[in-house]
């Protein structure tokens, strides 16, 4: 059963302590309840908890609301802001940060996923990749926003394309591309030809590392939509992540038919 528990400030602080080993720091005398969460090694902020008048957030009603500011992949920010309770960042870069209402509008699972994504995005880049397991190539899924990039047209022109890399992907791995709304389905199976390609791209989507993908198979939009992905263990695709084993088998078998 899907968890509908609302997100609260207490839940965020508990998750930060239990998952990342971090405690809030209260830095401002004039707003003593506002706090930052930092990485323990680099001391970089990965979240900010604030109490803000509802009017300043463009919300109806009097009084104030607790919010959580988190960093977000710019490719996902637009679609995430379509969810109730997720707003353009208050007092932060609105292209790369979001404000999440902690007044019961946003459910706990989504808020904690966004907190984890912010932690990953603000972490220092690894100096060296971890050794790959001997079991074979890793299997990943990566989000694609059709509003930013026409993947179908790119593959029609060339079966090999350069793609933003945010995970520890390696040459030989399999990457599935999940098209965000309105498609909301896995459409492409690719093999990584090259990974960790340094880039300095500052367009609509900032890219520091890239991977070169070769298209192996195209799925029909109704083959692996989000409801089926959930049945097979994938609850959300907000960043590059490993594919659950059941889903990986189903995707591979469908590509071989």
């Amino acid at each position: 059963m899907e968890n509908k528990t609302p997100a609260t400030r207490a839940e965020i602080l508990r998750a930060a302590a239990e998952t990342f080993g971090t405690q809030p720091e209260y830095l401002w005398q004039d707003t003593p309840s506002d706090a930052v969460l930092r990485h323990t090694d680099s001391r970089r902020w990965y979240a900010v908890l604030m109490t803000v008048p509802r009017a300043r957030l463009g919300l109806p009603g009097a009084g104030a609301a607790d919010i959580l500011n988190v960093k977000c992949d710019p490719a996902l920010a637009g679609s995430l802001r379509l969810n109730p309770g997720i707003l353009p960042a208050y007092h932060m870069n609105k292209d790369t940060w979001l404000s999440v209402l902690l007044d019961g509008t946003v459910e706990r699972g989504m808020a904690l996923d966004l907190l984890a994504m912010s932690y990953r995005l603000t972490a220092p880049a690894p100096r060296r990749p971890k050794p790959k397991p001997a079991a074979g190539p890793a299997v990943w899924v990566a989000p694609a926003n059709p509003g930013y990039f026409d993947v179908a047209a790119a593959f029609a022109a060339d079966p090999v394309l350069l793609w933003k890399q945010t995970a520890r992907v390696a040459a030989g791995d399999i990457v599935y591309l999940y098209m965000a709304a309105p498609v909301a389905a896995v459409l492409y199976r690719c093999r990584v030809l090259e990974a960790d390609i340094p880039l300095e791209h500052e367009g609509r989507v900032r890219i520091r590392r890239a991977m070169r993908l070769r298209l192996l198979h195209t799925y029909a939009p109704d083959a692996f939509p989000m409801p089926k992905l959930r049945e097979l263990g994938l609850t959300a695709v907000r960043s590059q992540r490993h594919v659950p084993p059941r889903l990986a088998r189903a995707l591979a078998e469908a590509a071989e038919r």
Side-chain angles (χ1 to χ4, degrees), residues 112-168:
L112 296 187
D113 282 349
L114 292 173
L115 182 70
M117 177 173 65
S118 185
Y119 187 88
R120 292 193 300 271
L121 290 175
T122 54
R127 294 186 178 181
R128 62 180 66 181
K130 289 185 177 179
K132 291 192 64 62
V139 182
W140 306 84
V141 61
N145 189 329
Y148 283 152
F149 185 64
D150 190 338
V151 182
F155 276 138
D158 190 335
V160 176
L161 60 78
L162 211 58
W163 197 266
K164 179 178 180 177
Q165 179 185 342
T166 58
R168 291 174 177 171

Short mmCIF file of all heavy atoms in Angstrom, two decimals, residues 112-168:
data_model
loop_
_atom_site.label_atom_id
_atom_site.label_comp_id
_atom_site.label_asym_id
_atom_site.label_seq_id
_atom_site.Cartn_x
_atom_site.Cartn_y
_atom_site.Cartn_z
N LEU A 112 11.06 12.85 1.22
CA LEU A 112 12.33 12.19 1.54
C LEU A 112 13.10 11.83 0.27
O LEU A 112 14.34 11.86 0.27
CB LEU A 112 12.07 10.94 2.38
CG LEU A 112 11.46 11.21 3.77
CD1 LEU A 112 11.40 9.92 4.57
CD2 LEU A 112 12.23 12.28 4.52
N ASP A 113 12.40 11.50 -0.82
CA ASP A 113 13.09 11.27 -2.10
C ASP A 113 13.77 12.54 -2.56
O ASP A 113 14.91 12.51 -3.06
CB ASP A 113 12.09 10.81 -3.16
CG ASP A 113 11.72 9.33 -3.04
OD1 ASP A 113 12.39 8.62 -2.25
OD2 ASP A 113 10.77 8.90 -3.71
N LEU A 114 13.09 13.68 -2.43
CA LEU A 114 13.68 14.95 -2.84
C LEU A 114 14.86 15.33 -1.95
O LEU A 114 15.86 15.88 -2.42
CB LEU A 114 12.63 16.06 -2.82
CG LEU A 114 11.52 15.92 -3.87
CD1 LEU A 114 10.44 16.97 -3.65
CD2 LEU A 114 12.08 16.02 -5.28
N LEU A 115 14.76 15.03 -0.65
CA LEU A 115 15.88 15.29 0.25
C LEU A 115 17.09 14.45 -0.15
O LEU A 115 18.23 14.94 -0.19
CB LEU A 115 15.47 14.95 1.69
CG LEU A 115 16.52 15.22 2.77
CD1 LEU A 115 16.72 16.72 2.96
CD2 LEU A 115 16.12 14.57 4.09
N ALA A 116 16.86 13.17 -0.49
CA ALA A 116 17.96 12.30 -0.91
C ALA A 116 18.57 12.77 -2.23
O ALA A 116 19.79 12.73 -2.41
CB ALA A 116 17.46 10.86 -1.04
N MET A 117 17.73 13.23 -3.18
CA MET A 117 18.25 13.74 -4.44
C MET A 117 19.12 14.97 -4.19
O MET A 117 20.20 15.11 -4.78
CB MET A 117 17.11 14.08 -5.39
CG MET A 117 17.58 14.68 -6.71
SD MET A 117 16.27 14.92 -7.93
CE MET A 117 15.25 16.13 -7.11
N SER A 118 18.67 15.86 -3.30
CA SER A 118 19.46 17.06 -3.00
C SER A 118 20.79 16.68 -2.37
O SER A 118 21.83 17.28 -2.69
CB SER A 118 18.66 17.97 -2.05
OG SER A 118 19.34 19.17 -1.83
N TYR A 119 20.77 15.69 -1.50
CA TYR A 119 22.02 15.24 -0.87
C TYR A 119 22.99 14.74 -1.94
O TYR A 119 24.19 15.06 -1.90
CB TYR A 119 21.71 14.13 0.14
CG TYR A 119 22.89 13.71 0.97
CD1 TYR A 119 23.19 14.35 2.16
CD2 TYR A 119 23.70 12.65 0.58
CE1 TYR A 119 24.27 13.97 2.94
CE2 TYR A 119 24.79 12.26 1.34
CZ TYR A 119 25.07 12.92 2.52
OH TYR A 119 26.15 12.53 3.27
N ARG A 120 22.48 13.97 -2.91
CA ARG A 120 23.36 13.45 -3.98
C ARG A 120 23.88 14.57 -4.86
O ARG A 120 25.07 14.60 -5.22
CB ARG A 120 22.60 12.44 -4.84
CG ARG A 120 22.25 11.14 -4.13
CD ARG A 120 21.80 10.09 -5.13
NE ARG A 120 20.63 10.50 -5.88
CZ ARG A 120 19.38 10.29 -5.51
NH1 ARG A 120 19.12 9.69 -4.36
NH2 ARG A 120 18.37 10.67 -6.26
N LEU A 121 23.02 15.51 -5.23
CA LEU A 121 23.42 16.57 -6.15
C LEU A 121 24.43 17.53 -5.53
O LEU A 121 25.20 18.17 -6.25
CB LEU A 121 22.19 17.34 -6.61
CG LEU A 121 21.23 16.61 -7.55
CD1 LEU A 121 20.00 17.45 -7.82
CD2 LEU A 121 21.92 16.23 -8.85
N THR A 122 24.42 17.66 -4.22
CA THR A 122 25.34 18.59 -3.56
C THR A 122 26.60 17.89 -3.04
O THR A 122 27.48 18.55 -2.48
CB THR A 122 24.64 19.30 -2.39
OG1 THR A 122 24.07 18.31 -1.52
CG2 THR A 122 23.54 20.23 -2.90
N ALA A 123 26.67 16.58 -3.19
CA ALA A 123 27.85 15.83 -2.73
C ALA A 123 29.02 16.07 -3.68
O ALA A 123 28.83 16.23 -4.89
CB ALA A 123 27.54 14.35 -2.63
N PRO A 124 30.25 16.06 -3.17
CA PRO A 124 31.42 16.18 -4.06
C PRO A 124 31.47 15.01 -5.03
O PRO A 124 31.08 13.89 -4.68
CB PRO A 124 32.61 16.15 -3.08
CG PRO A 124 32.03 16.47 -1.75
CD PRO A 124 30.63 15.97 -1.75
N ALA A 125 31.93 15.27 -6.24
CA ALA A 125 32.07 14.20 -7.22
C ALA A 125 33.10 13.18 -6.73
O ALA A 125 34.13 13.56 -6.16
CB ALA A 125 32.52 14.76 -8.57
N PRO A 126 32.82 11.90 -6.92
CA PRO A 126 33.78 10.88 -6.46
C PRO A 126 35.10 11.00 -7.21
O PRO A 126 35.14 11.26 -8.41
CB PRO A 126 33.08 9.56 -6.78
CG PRO A 126 32.10 9.90 -7.86
CD PRO A 126 31.66 11.30 -7.59
N ARG A 127 36.21 10.81 -6.49
CA ARG A 127 37.52 10.92 -7.12
C ARG A 127 37.84 9.73 -8.02
O ARG A 127 38.55 9.87 -8.99
CB ARG A 127 38.59 11.03 -6.03
CG ARG A 127 38.49 12.32 -5.22
CD ARG A 127 39.65 12.45 -4.26
NE ARG A 127 39.57 13.70 -3.51
CZ ARG A 127 40.47 14.08 -2.62
NH1 ARG A 127 41.50 13.31 -2.35
NH2 ARG A 127 40.34 15.23 -1.98
N ARG A 128 37.31 8.59 -7.68
CA ARG A 128 37.53 7.41 -8.51
C ARG A 128 36.32 6.51 -8.41
O ARG A 128 35.68 6.43 -7.37
CB ARG A 128 38.79 6.67 -8.08
CG ARG A 128 38.73 6.13 -6.67
CD ARG A 128 40.02 5.38 -6.30
NE ARG A 128 41.14 6.31 -6.25
CZ ARG A 128 42.38 5.93 -5.99
NH1 ARG A 128 42.66 4.66 -5.75
NH2 ARG A 128 43.35 6.82 -5.94
N PRO A 129 35.98 5.84 -9.50
CA PRO A 129 34.81 4.95 -9.46
C PRO A 129 35.08 3.74 -8.58
O PRO A 129 36.21 3.26 -8.48
CB PRO A 129 34.62 4.54 -10.92
CG PRO A 129 35.97 4.71 -11.54
CD PRO A 129 36.62 5.86 -10.83
N LYS A 130 34.03 3.24 -7.95
CA LYS A 130 34.15 2.01 -7.19
C LYS A 130 34.33 0.82 -8.13
O LYS A 130 33.83 0.84 -9.26
CB LYS A 130 32.89 1.79 -6.33
CG LYS A 130 32.77 2.76 -5.17
CD LYS A 130 31.58 2.40 -4.32
CE LYS A 130 31.47 3.32 -3.11
NZ LYS A 130 30.29 2.98 -2.28
N PRO A 131 35.05 -0.21 -7.71
CA PRO A 131 35.19 -1.40 -8.56
C PRO A 131 33.82 -1.99 -8.89
O PRO A 131 32.94 -2.06 -8.04
CB PRO A 131 36.01 -2.37 -7.68
CG PRO A 131 36.66 -1.50 -6.66
CD PRO A 131 35.76 -0.35 -6.43
N LYS A 132 33.65 -2.39 -10.14
CA LYS A 132 32.39 -2.98 -10.55
C LYS A 132 32.29 -4.41 -10.07
O LYS A 132 33.27 -5.13 -10.04
CB LYS A 132 32.25 -2.93 -12.08
CG LYS A 132 32.07 -1.53 -12.62
CD LYS A 132 31.66 -1.55 -14.05
CE LYS A 132 30.31 -2.18 -14.23
NZ LYS A 132 29.23 -1.46 -13.54
N PRO A 133 31.11 -4.85 -9.66
CA PRO A 133 30.95 -6.24 -9.25
C PRO A 133 31.17 -7.18 -10.41
O PRO A 133 30.99 -6.82 -11.58
CB PRO A 133 29.49 -6.29 -8.76
CG PRO A 133 28.82 -5.13 -9.43
CD PRO A 133 29.88 -4.07 -9.59
N ALA A 134 31.55 -8.40 -10.09
CA ALA A 134 31.86 -9.38 -11.14
C ALA A 134 30.63 -9.98 -11.78
O ALA A 134 30.72 -10.78 -12.70
CB ALA A 134 32.71 -10.50 -10.54
N ALA A 135 29.43 -9.62 -11.28
CA ALA A 135 28.21 -10.25 -11.78
C ALA A 135 27.84 -9.80 -13.19
O ALA A 135 26.96 -10.38 -13.80
CB ALA A 135 27.06 -9.93 -10.83
N GLY A 136 28.47 -8.80 -13.73
CA GLY A 136 28.15 -8.33 -15.08
C GLY A 136 27.85 -6.85 -15.07
O GLY A 136 27.99 -6.17 -14.05
N PRO A 137 27.43 -6.32 -16.22
CA PRO A 137 27.18 -4.88 -16.31
C PRO A 137 26.02 -4.47 -15.41
O PRO A 137 25.06 -5.22 -15.21
CB PRO A 137 26.84 -4.69 -17.80
CG PRO A 137 26.38 -6.03 -18.27
CD PRO A 137 27.16 -7.03 -17.49
N ALA A 138 26.12 -3.26 -14.90
CA ALA A 138 25.03 -2.71 -14.10
C ALA A 138 23.90 -2.26 -15.03
O ALA A 138 24.11 -2.00 -16.22
CB ALA A 138 25.54 -1.54 -13.26
N VAL A 139 22.70 -2.18 -14.47
CA VAL A 139 21.52 -1.79 -15.23
C VAL A 139 20.92 -0.55 -14.57
O VAL A 139 20.61 -0.56 -13.37
CB VAL A 139 20.48 -2.92 -15.28
CG1 VAL A 139 19.28 -2.51 -16.13
CG2 VAL A 139 21.11 -4.20 -15.84
N TRP A 140 20.76 0.51 -15.36
CA TRP A 140 20.32 1.80 -14.84
C TRP A 140 19.07 2.27 -15.57
O TRP A 140 18.79 1.84 -16.70
CB TRP A 140 21.40 2.86 -15.04
CG TRP A 140 22.74 2.53 -14.49
CD1 TRP A 140 23.73 1.78 -15.08
CD2 TRP A 140 23.27 2.91 -13.22
NE1 TRP A 140 24.83 1.69 -14.27
CE2 TRP A 140 24.58 2.37 -13.11
CE3 TRP A 140 22.76 3.67 -12.16
CZ2 TRP A 140 25.38 2.58 -12.00
CZ3 TRP A 140 23.56 3.87 -11.04
CH2 TRP A 140 24.85 3.33 -10.97
N VAL A 141 18.36 3.20 -14.94
CA VAL A 141 17.30 3.94 -15.62
C VAL A 141 17.59 5.42 -15.41
O VAL A 141 18.03 5.83 -14.34
CB VAL A 141 15.90 3.56 -15.10
CG1 VAL A 141 15.75 3.87 -13.61
CG2 VAL A 141 14.80 4.25 -15.90
N ALA A 142 17.39 6.20 -16.47
CA ALA A 142 17.67 7.64 -16.43
C ALA A 142 16.45 8.40 -16.92
O ALA A 142 15.80 7.99 -17.89
CB ALA A 142 18.88 7.98 -17.29
N PRO A 143 16.09 9.51 -16.27
CA PRO A 143 14.93 10.29 -16.71
C PRO A 143 15.27 11.13 -17.94
O PRO A 143 16.39 11.57 -18.13
CB PRO A 143 14.63 11.18 -15.50
CG PRO A 143 15.96 11.36 -14.84
CD PRO A 143 16.71 10.07 -15.06
N ALA A 144 14.26 11.33 -18.77
CA ALA A 144 14.39 12.20 -19.94
C ALA A 144 13.16 13.10 -19.99
O ALA A 144 12.03 12.62 -19.82
CB ALA A 144 14.48 11.38 -21.22
N ASN A 145 13.38 14.37 -20.19
CA ASN A 145 12.28 15.34 -20.23
C ASN A 145 12.01 15.72 -21.69
O ASN A 145 12.82 16.40 -22.32
CB ASN A 145 12.66 16.59 -19.42
CG ASN A 145 11.48 17.53 -19.24
OD1 ASN A 145 10.60 17.61 -20.09
ND2 ASN A 145 11.46 18.24 -18.12
N PRO A 146 10.87 15.29 -22.24
CA PRO A 146 10.59 15.61 -23.66
C PRO A 146 10.45 17.10 -23.92
O PRO A 146 10.56 17.54 -25.06
CB PRO A 146 9.28 14.86 -23.93
CG PRO A 146 8.65 14.65 -22.59
CD PRO A 146 9.79 14.50 -21.63
N GLY A 147 10.23 17.87 -22.87
CA GLY A 147 10.14 19.31 -23.06
C GLY A 147 11.49 19.96 -23.32
O GLY A 147 11.57 21.06 -23.85
N TYR A 148 12.59 19.28 -22.94
CA TYR A 148 13.93 19.82 -23.14
C TYR A 148 14.63 19.23 -24.36
O TYR A 148 15.46 19.89 -24.98
CB TYR A 148 14.79 19.53 -21.91
CG TYR A 148 14.52 20.42 -20.73
CD1 TYR A 148 14.76 19.98 -19.44
CD2 TYR A 148 14.04 21.72 -20.90
CE1 TYR A 148 14.51 20.79 -18.34
CE2 TYR A 148 13.80 22.53 -19.81
CZ TYR A 148 14.03 22.07 -18.54
OH TYR A 148 13.80 22.88 -17.47
N PHE A 149 14.32 17.96 -24.69
CA PHE A 149 15.13 17.29 -25.70
C PHE A 149 14.28 16.25 -26.43
O PHE A 149 13.58 15.45 -25.79
CB PHE A 149 16.33 16.62 -25.04
CG PHE A 149 17.31 15.99 -26.01
CD1 PHE A 149 18.01 16.76 -26.91
CD2 PHE A 149 17.51 14.62 -26.01
CE1 PHE A 149 18.90 16.19 -27.79
CE2 PHE A 149 18.40 14.03 -26.89
CZ PHE A 149 19.10 14.82 -27.79
N ASP A 150 14.32 16.26 -27.74
CA ASP A 150 13.57 15.30 -28.57
C ASP A 150 14.43 14.06 -28.78
O ASP A 150 15.23 14.00 -29.72
CB ASP A 150 13.20 15.96 -29.91
CG ASP A 150 12.22 15.11 -30.71
OD1 ASP A 150 12.13 13.88 -30.47
OD2 ASP A 150 11.55 15.67 -31.59
N VAL A 151 14.28 13.08 -27.89
CA VAL A 151 15.11 11.89 -27.95
C VAL A 151 14.82 11.09 -29.22
O VAL A 151 15.73 10.56 -29.86
CB VAL A 151 14.88 11.01 -26.70
CG1 VAL A 151 15.77 9.78 -26.73
CG2 VAL A 151 15.15 11.81 -25.44
N ALA A 152 13.55 10.97 -29.59
CA ALA A 152 13.19 10.20 -30.78
C ALA A 152 13.87 10.76 -32.03
O ALA A 152 14.42 10.00 -32.85
CB ALA A 152 11.67 10.19 -30.96
N ALA A 153 13.86 12.08 -32.18
CA ALA A 153 14.50 12.69 -33.35
C ALA A 153 16.02 12.49 -33.30
O ALA A 153 16.65 12.24 -34.34
CB ALA A 153 14.17 14.19 -33.39
N ALA A 154 16.60 12.57 -32.11
CA ALA A 154 18.05 12.38 -31.99
C ALA A 154 18.45 10.96 -32.39
O ALA A 154 19.42 10.76 -33.13
CB ALA A 154 18.50 12.67 -30.56
N PHE A 155 17.70 9.96 -31.92
CA PHE A 155 18.02 8.58 -32.28
C PHE A 155 17.73 8.30 -33.75
O PHE A 155 18.39 7.47 -34.37
CB PHE A 155 17.26 7.60 -31.39
CG PHE A 155 17.91 7.33 -30.06
CD1 PHE A 155 17.16 7.27 -28.90
CD2 PHE A 155 19.28 7.11 -29.96
CE1 PHE A 155 17.76 7.01 -27.67
CE2 PHE A 155 19.89 6.85 -28.75
CZ PHE A 155 19.13 6.79 -27.61
N ALA A 156 16.74 8.96 -34.32
CA ALA A 156 16.45 8.79 -35.75
C ALA A 156 17.62 9.29 -36.60
O ALA A 156 17.91 8.73 -37.66
CB ALA A 156 15.16 9.50 -36.12
N ALA A 157 18.28 10.33 -36.11
CA ALA A 157 19.42 10.88 -36.85
C ALA A 157 20.69 10.09 -36.62
O ALA A 157 21.53 9.96 -37.52
CB ALA A 157 19.63 12.34 -36.43
N ASP A 158 20.85 9.53 -35.41
CA ASP A 158 22.09 8.81 -35.08
C ASP A 158 21.79 7.89 -33.89
O ASP A 158 21.29 8.36 -32.87
CB ASP A 158 23.19 9.81 -34.69
CG ASP A 158 24.57 9.15 -34.57
OD1 ASP A 158 24.64 7.93 -34.32
OD2 ASP A 158 25.57 9.87 -34.74
N PRO A 159 22.07 6.58 -34.00
CA PRO A 159 21.78 5.67 -32.89
C PRO A 159 22.72 5.86 -31.69
O PRO A 159 22.53 5.20 -30.67
CB PRO A 159 21.97 4.28 -33.51
CG PRO A 159 22.93 4.50 -34.63
CD PRO A 159 22.61 5.86 -35.18
N VAL A 160 23.71 6.73 -31.82
CA VAL A 160 24.63 7.01 -30.72
C VAL A 160 24.47 8.47 -30.31
O VAL A 160 24.48 9.36 -31.16
CB VAL A 160 26.10 6.74 -31.11
CG1 VAL A 160 27.04 7.15 -29.98
CG2 VAL A 160 26.29 5.28 -31.46
N LEU A 161 24.25 8.71 -29.02
CA LEU A 161 24.13 10.10 -28.56
C LEU A 161 24.82 10.27 -27.22
O LEU A 161 25.07 9.32 -26.49
CB LEU A 161 22.67 10.55 -28.50
CG LEU A 161 21.67 9.83 -27.61
CD1 LEU A 161 21.82 10.22 -26.15
CD2 LEU A 161 20.25 10.17 -28.05
N LEU A 162 25.12 11.53 -26.91
CA LEU A 162 25.75 11.91 -25.65
C LEU A 162 24.65 12.25 -24.65
O LEU A 162 23.71 12.98 -24.99
CB LEU A 162 26.65 13.12 -25.88
CG LEU A 162 27.90 13.27 -25.01
CD1 LEU A 162 28.83 12.07 -25.13
CD2 LEU A 162 28.64 14.54 -25.39
N TRP A 163 24.77 11.73 -23.40
CA TRP A 163 23.71 11.91 -22.40
C TRP A 163 24.33 12.34 -21.08
O TRP A 163 25.40 11.87 -20.71
CB TRP A 163 22.96 10.59 -22.22
CG TRP A 163 21.63 10.77 -21.53
CD1 TRP A 163 21.38 10.67 -20.20
CD2 TRP A 163 20.39 11.11 -22.15
NE1 TRP A 163 20.05 10.91 -19.94
CE2 TRP A 163 19.42 11.20 -21.12
CE3 TRP A 163 20.01 11.38 -23.46
CZ2 TRP A 163 18.10 11.52 -21.38
CZ3 TRP A 163 18.69 11.69 -23.72
CH2 TRP A 163 17.75 11.76 -22.69
N LYS A 164 23.63 13.20 -20.37
CA LYS A 164 24.10 13.65 -19.06
C LYS A 164 24.28 12.46 -18.13
O LYS A 164 23.43 11.59 -18.04
CB LYS A 164 23.10 14.63 -18.47
CG LYS A 164 23.50 15.14 -17.08
CD LYS A 164 22.51 16.16 -16.55
CE LYS A 164 22.92 16.66 -15.17
NZ LYS A 164 22.01 17.70 -14.65
N GLN A 165 25.41 12.44 -17.39
CA GLN A 165 25.70 11.36 -16.44
C GLN A 165 25.76 11.92 -15.03
O GLN A 165 26.50 12.86 -14.75
CB GLN A 165 27.03 10.68 -16.79
CG GLN A 165 27.42 9.56 -15.82
CD GLN A 165 28.78 8.98 -16.12
OE1 GLN A 165 29.32 9.16 -17.21
NE2 GLN A 165 29.36 8.29 -15.15
N THR A 166 24.98 11.33 -14.12
CA THR A 166 25.01 11.75 -12.72
C THR A 166 25.31 10.59 -11.78
O THR A 166 25.56 10.81 -10.60
CB THR A 166 23.67 12.38 -12.30
OG1 THR A 166 22.62 11.43 -12.50
CG2 THR A 166 23.37 13.63 -13.11
N ALA A 167 25.29 9.35 -12.29
CA ALA A 167 25.55 8.17 -11.46
C ALA A 167 26.90 7.56 -11.85
O ALA A 167 27.56 8.00 -12.80
CB ALA A 167 24.42 7.15 -11.62
N ARG A 168 27.28 6.50 -11.12
CA ARG A 168 28.57 5.84 -11.37
C ARG A 168 28.43 4.80 -12.48
O ARG A 168 28.67 3.61 -12.29
CB ARG A 168 29.09 5.22 -10.08
CG ARG A 168 29.51 6.27 -9.06
CD ARG A 168 29.89 5.64 -7.75
NE ARG A 168 30.36 6.65 -6.80
CZ ARG A 168 30.60 6.41 -5.53
NH1 ARG A 168 30.41 5.21 -5.04
NH2 ARG A 168 31.02 7.37 -4.73
#
